Amino acid sequence: MALCEQKTQLSAEEHMLLDHQVCFPLYSASNAVVRTYRPLLDKLDLTYAQYLVMMVLWENDGISVKDIGARLHLDSGTLTPLLKRLEGKGLVERGRSEQDERVRVLKLTEEGTGLKKEALQVPAQMKCKIQLDLDELITLKKLCEKIVATL
Amino acid sequence: MALCEQKTQLSAEEHMLLDHQVCFPLYSASNAVVRTYRPLLDKLDLTYAQYLVMMVLWENDGISVKDIGARLHLDSGTLTPLLKRLEGKGLVERGRSEQDERVRVLKLTEEGTGLKKEALQVPAQMKCKIQLDLDELITLKKLCEKIVATL
DNA sequence: GACAAGTATATTGTGTGCAATTTATTTTAT
DNA sequence: ATAAAATAAATTGCACACAATATACTTGTC
């Protein structure tokens, strides 16, 4: 999506210029961030999406696919195979709720719980690489959260 | 990556909380934006990545895969199959440079050039959906560009 | 209590992203 | 002039994202 910064109005033509787009930098920044996480998370044998799921479970062990999806804005088409991979690595167990046989309940294994210790290093390493001031980070976070809440 | 907003310092433990992460909202916002583009771009029979490539070509017809990749921060592993799909839709021709047989040169077809007309509607539709003020958009754009430039 | 409607996952299929490798061509060094 | 290094794309393989659909279970409704 495009914006005008200098002039009062841009033509539809000008809005199409890549340099006037807002969504493109957002998309590029997200790609760049995930790419930057990769070498850090390789040491934990996790992808970024898997790392997010593990963070959710470290905070809230034993929750359902639906709840993980609600927290991460991801659906079962993404989560089901991802969770099977985490199970394959021995980090989670994919059980069923006793009250409701439909819901799959994710429980951290001992190894899954233990992995948190190494993961604690990651945020500081990323902060170091990103090189934004605290106020910039806060602004960015709020704007992104606003977009997610709106869309 | 995590930040602290209220307290002077957060523990490594607290940095792991999803609500303290900055990269997660960025990632979610990018996903949300691409998801929001989808119904708009469906009318043009383009994905978001394909739309970005078309924008590059509308600005700079006849450039190479490498130059498109430099502009969009994407590599040949992403672009080669994408460009084949654009060729399949009759929007581009995948030629070769005469000076250097290694470089593939992308030329818009008449249909590819013509598609720009419909695409001109898209930025305004997205702006409408995103619901951010101009200054917020500018701030977000600059912060994302800073991240991309740093990483 | 059957049966329709709703809900939670799973599956399928398409299109990215990207690391790693390969292939083809060009440039450089000797 | 030729072998080595460099460069541009293409290929391969893996893991997302997500729309669309299917499957299995649960909850109303009558």
Side-chain angles (χ1 to χ4, degrees), chain A residues 27 35 64 66 76 80 84 94 102 104:
Chain A
Y27 158 89
R35 216 183 297 133
S64 67
K66 181 185 145 92
S76 70
T80 297
K84 284 181 180 174
R94 298 171 61 249
R102 289 171 304 180
R104 190 171 283 289

Side-chain angles (χ1 to χ4, degrees), chain A residues 85 87 102 109 128 132 147:
Chain A
R85 276 175 220 119
E87 183 185 41
R102 289 171 304 180
T109 62
C128 193
L132 288 189
I147 288 177

Side-chain angles (χ1 to χ4, degrees), chain A residues 1-32:
Chain A
M1 200 256 314
L3 59 80
C4 56
E5 196 169 337
Q6 319 297 344
K7 295 202 279 177
T8 322
Q9 280 297 344
L10 290 185
S11 66
E13 185 79 20
E14 288 168 315
H15 277 303
M16 285 302 302
L17 294 174
L18 200 59
D19 282 340
H20 291 160
Q21 298 276 320
V22 178
C23 296
F24 169 57
L26 179 67
Y27 158 89
S28 292
S30 174
N31 285 347

Side-chain angles (χ1 to χ4, degrees), chain A residues 26-82:
Chain A
L26 179 67
Y27 158 89
S28 292
S30 174
N31 285 347
V33 160
V34 172
R35 216 183 297 133
T36 304
Y37 264 110
R38 198 182 306 265
L40 305 178
L41 294 179
D42 276 351
K43 288 157 192 160
L44 314 187
D45 189 27
L46 291 177
T47 64
Y48 182 62
Q50 290 166 9
Y51 170 70
L52 289 177
V53 169
M54 291 303 288
M55 278 199 287
V56 170
L57 291 174
W58 287 325
E59 274 184 57
N60 240 308
D61 196 8
I63 67 173
S64 67
V65 173
K66 181 185 145 92
D67 289 344
I68 295 173
R71 199 76 209 295
L72 300 180
H73 313 292
L74 296 172
D75 72 0
S76 70
T78 302
L79 289 174
T80 297
L82 188 158

